[in-house]
């Protein structure tokens, strides 16, 4: 059988998704059937292919201009290829992504559907009806429902043969479903954990290849081992960190810092004592998003400002730098809410926190997808600029403000692409 070319578009934002997909293909022993190629731009693909070609794009909303340009060009150049899309943006805007020129969209988590689809393709079987896949039929979207959630223990998180590694995903799903965030809508509200046994197998393997900095992917590090993601299972977290440390006495464990974070109401003295003993990160990423109690309720955060104050104090007490996430330009925010946020950021930074500043982007698939992109008022702009100049804040909030408007216009006017190409 001639090999099929499987081409992955890669950039800095989708490498974790590509790792998971390749890990899944390796788990199902499908990887060897493919010639895997990674590319970032059209220029990387100055080649002609001798057999079937499948292009795979996993992307978020920030990438859509780039994706649109690349896919339009590739579809002209490689006419008989198949174009697959997955990830947060296509899962939230299935129709728009199919209109971009993708043949199939993989909705939500895709380890299972991706493997099944490719297996059917390789064996010459019908692959359109794969659960979790969407496509256009006479201009209507057909979605093959997929009711099953992926069991993380059933799939490798990485491909050993391709030596593609990164942060290890330990938990998927989030019960909080904050209105601006795609996590719960993409992965569901039920938390699923990779078992300690499976994690330790990977840690031993990392040690064998001298990878001794360990980072984790999880919506909330303190949810590890929890039955519902709301109650902290301190025993599970302690066991996880202790056993990793036993394997890597001189390694570094990053827990609750990028690319994960912690929920403020879940930090306690007991947890902080444990973290201070077991982990190596200096920063602890804490989600707050606003300084207004009213806005916390409106966005469904399910914690209070006092929870954030207390989390920041605790983090500082145990010698961590709390990096607190804020989102500006939230839907329905009033002048009073903005003033509350400015005062709250000042209060937290005086306690020792750093502000990680973001601008609201209405993301497809979330309850706030139809809201207007965030606009930053003069008062907030002044306040955040002052904090940045004092080294107390950082973030891409300005770029996000400019991009958000452009992006939203683009995906809401799917048939009006003028001016974007
Ligand atoms: S913002 Fe955090 S807590 Fe809220 S839904 Fe997303 S991952 Fe969960």
């Amino acid at each position: 059988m001639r090999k099929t070319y499987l081409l992955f578009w890669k950039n800095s934002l989708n490498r974790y998704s590509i790792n998971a997909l390749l890990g899944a293909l390796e788990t199902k022993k499908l990887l060897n059937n493919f010639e895997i190629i990674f590319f970032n731009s059209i220029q990387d693909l100055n080649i002609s292919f001798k057999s079937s070609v499948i292009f795979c794009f996993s992307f978020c909303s920030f990438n859509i201009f780039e994706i649109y340009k690349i896919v339009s060009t590739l579809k002209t150049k490689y006419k008989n290829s198949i174009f697959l899309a997955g990830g947060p943006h296509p899962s939230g805007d299935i129709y728009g992504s199919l209109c971009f020129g993708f043949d199939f969209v993989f909705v939500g988590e895709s380890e299972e559907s991706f493997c099944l689809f490719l297996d059917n393709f390789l064996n010459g079987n019908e692959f359109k009806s794969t659960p979790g896949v969407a496509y256009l039929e006479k201009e209507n979207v057909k979605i093959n429902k997929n009711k099953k959630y992926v069991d993380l223990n059933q799939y490798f998180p990485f491909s050993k043969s391709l030596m593609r590694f990164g942060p290890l995903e330990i938990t998927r799903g989030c019960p909080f479903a904050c209105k601006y965030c795609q996590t719960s809508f993409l992965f569901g509200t039920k938390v699923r954990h990779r078992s300690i046994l499976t994690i330790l197998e990977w840690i031993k393997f990392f040690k064998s290849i001298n990878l001794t900095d360990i980072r984790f992917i999880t919506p909330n590090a303190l949810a590890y081992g929890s039955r519902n993601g709301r109650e902290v299972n301190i025993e599970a977290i302690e066991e996880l960190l202790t056993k990793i440390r036993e394997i890597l006495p001189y390694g570094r464990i990053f827990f609750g810092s990028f690319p994960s974070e912690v929920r403020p109401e879940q930090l306690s003295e007991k947890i902080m004592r444990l973290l201070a003993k077991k982990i190596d990160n200096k920063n602890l990423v804490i989600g707050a998003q606003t300084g207004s109690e009213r806005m916390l309720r409106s966005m469904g955060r399910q914690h209070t400002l006092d929870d954030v104050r207390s989390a920041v104090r605790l983090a500082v007490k145990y010698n961590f730098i709390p990096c607190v996430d804020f989102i500006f330009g939230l839907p329905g925010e009033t002048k009073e809410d903005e003033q509350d946020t400015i005062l709250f950021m000042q209060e937290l930074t005086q306690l020792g926190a750093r502000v990680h500043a973001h601008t609201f982007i209405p993301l497809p698939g979330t309850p706030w997808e139809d809201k207007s992109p965030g606009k930053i008022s003069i008062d907030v702009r002044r306040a955040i600029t002052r904090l940045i100049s004092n080294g107390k804040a950082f973030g891409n909030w300005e770029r996000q403000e400019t991009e958000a408007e452009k992006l939203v216009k683009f995906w809401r006017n799917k048939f009006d692409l003028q001016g974007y190409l």
Side-chain angles (χ1 to χ4, degrees):
M1 179 166 51
R2 270 203 303 189
K3 277 199 175 180
T4 297
Y5 291 94
L6 201 54
L7 285 93
F8 287 88
W9 177 74
K10 60 154 191 177
N11 79 346
S12 58
L13 300 176
N14 73 357
R15 56 184 195 273
Y16 304 155
S17 314
I18 293 180
N19 285 351
L21 293 175
L22 293 173
L25 288 178
E26 191 158 305
T27 309
K28 297 288 179 187
K29 303 196 178 359
L30 290 169
L31 204 52
N32 289 339
N33 296 297
F34 298 102
E35 182 76 41
I36 306 286
I37 296 176
F38 302 104
F39 71 102
N40 175 251
S41 66
I42 306 280
Q43 291 71 36
D44 297 342
L45 287 180
N46 231 345
I47 33 179
S48 56
F49 299 103
K50 294 185 195 76
S51 52
S52 317
V53 181
I54 300 177
F55 286 98
C56 310
F57 290 79
S58 175
F59 59 98
C60 64
S61 302
F62 268 116
N63 302 129
I64 57 173
F65 298 116
E66 200 179 351
I67 295 289
Y68 186 76
K69 283 183 206 167
I70 294 176
V71 171
S72 322
T73 312
L74 290 179
K75 281 195 81 100
T76 318
K77 193 167 170 190
Y78 301 107
K79 286 202 167 45
N80 297 318
S81 310
I82 299 179
F83 287 79
L84 310 181
H89 186 87
S91 297
D93 183 16
I94 299 170
Y95 180 59
S97 306
L98 291 168
C99 292
F100 269 19
F102 287 105
D103 299 301
F104 298 97
V105 165
F106 288 73
V107 186
E109 53 188 7
S110 303
E111 282 93 342
E112 208 152 312
S113 45
F114 189 60
C115 291
L116 197 57
F117 180 96
L118 291 179
D119 195 25
N120 283 331
F121 175 86
L122 288 170
N123 289 302
N125 298 333
E126 197 273 325
F127 48 79
K128 261 189 168 179
S129 56
T130 307
V133 166
Y135 56 96
L136 278 182
E137 199 169 78
K138 294 189 190 139
E139 307 220 340
N140 292 317
V141 180
K142 287 264 175 199
I143 306 175
N144 304 323
K145 289 266 179 267
N146 183 11
K147 294 204 180 81
K148 277 197 289 178
Y149 283 121
V150 165
D151 174 355
L152 292 182
N153 296 304
Q154 299 299 317
Y155 289 94
F156 301 153
F158 309 108
S159 159
K160 283 186 188 174
S161 58
L162 293 172
M163 293 292 279
R164 283 186 63 96
F165 308 113
L168 180 55
E169 188 176 19
I170 54 171
T171 297
R172 196 179 277 183
C174 177
F176 295 100
C178 305
K179 288 187 188 153
Y180 56 88
C181 171
Q182 287 173 312
T183 302
S184 307
F185 306 97
L186 198 61
F187 296 133
T189 49
K190 188 173 161 17
V191 282
R192 288 155 284 147
H193 311 287
R194 202 178 295 280
S195 71
I196 291 192
L197 207 68
T198 320
I199 295 172
L200 296 180
E201 286 301 312
W202 280 94
I203 302 294
K204 285 178 200 155
F205 170 73
F206 288 151
K207 185 182 180 184
S208 74
I209 56 168
N210 216 18
L211 284 179
T212 54
D213 276 2
I214 307 299
R215 291 181 167 80
F216 304 102
I217 297 174
T218 160
N220 166 23
L222 299 181
Y224 184 72
S226 166
R227 64 183 179 95
N228 56 11
R230 294 174 184 273
E231 293 155 24
V232 176
N233 183 344
I234 193 162
E235 292 78 22
I237 297 172
E238 179 160 21
E239 186 183 353
L240 174 76
L241 298 175
T242 305
K243 291 194 165 156
I244 294 177
R245 181 59 75 210
E246 280 165 16
I247 297 169
L248 291 174
Y250 304 109
R252 293 192 301 171
I253 304 173
F254 297 86
F255 186 83
S257 61
F258 182 82
S260 74
E261 60 177 65
V262 294
R263 292 268 311 176
E265 78 282 15
Q266 294 181 347
L267 279 183
S268 61
E269 286 277 354
K270 208 169 161 195
I271 275 285
M272 288 312 306
R273 271 197 298 275
L274 175 70
L275 298 186
K277 257 198 308 193
K278 303 281 182 189
I279 65 179
D280 294 280
N281 37 308
K282 293 273 165 277
N283 295 332
L284 213 49
V285 180
I286 299 170
Q289 322 305 354
T290 175
S292 150
E293 292 282 8
R294 194 187 75 83
M295 286 311 297
L296 277 182
R297 281 193 298 277
S298 161
M299 63 172 78
R301 284 287 300 171
Q302 303 178 50
H303 63 75
T304 62
L305 294 182
D306 269 344
D307 291 326
V308 179
R309 280 188 187 99
S310 150
V312 164
R313 285 200 186 99
L314 277 170
V316 171
K317 177 174 170 189
Y318 285 88
N319 295 322
F320 288 94
I321 302 167
C323 291
V324 186
D325 283 325
F326 278 86
I327 307 175
F328 307 128
L330 288 164
E333 209 171 39
T334 62
K335 272 266 160 243
E336 290 72 43
D337 296 320
E338 276 182 10
Q339 288 308 316
D340 287 347
T341 295
I342 293 171
L343 290 175
F344 195 53
M345 288 192 300
Q346 287 164 352
E347 180 189 338
L348 297 184
T349 51
Q350 276 157 18
L351 291 174
R354 293 188 80 211
V355 166
H356 189 185
H358 308 267
T359 300
F360 171 70
I361 305 172
L363 295 171
T366 66
W368 277 0
E369 68 176 358
D370 292 328
K371 303 291 182 196
S372 303
K375 280 266 159 253
I376 300 177
S377 69
I378 293 176
D379 289 352
V380 172
R381 192 175 298 278
R382 255 195 225 122
I384 188 73
T385 307
R386 202 170 308 129
L387 290 175
I388 287 173
S389 63
N390 293 329
K392 291 181 175 172
F394 63 101
N396 288 326
W397 56 288
E398 277 183 301
R399 187 171 71 87
Q400 286 163 355
E401 185 187 23
T402 327
E403 288 280 295
E405 187 152 349
K406 225 167 79 179
L407 292 168
V408 169
K409 260 192 212 151
F410 183 69
W411 79 66
R412 286 186 187 162
N413 300 303
K414 294 176 176 73
F415 301 103
D416 181 14
L417 305 170
Q418 292 305 314
Y420 293 104
L421 301 180

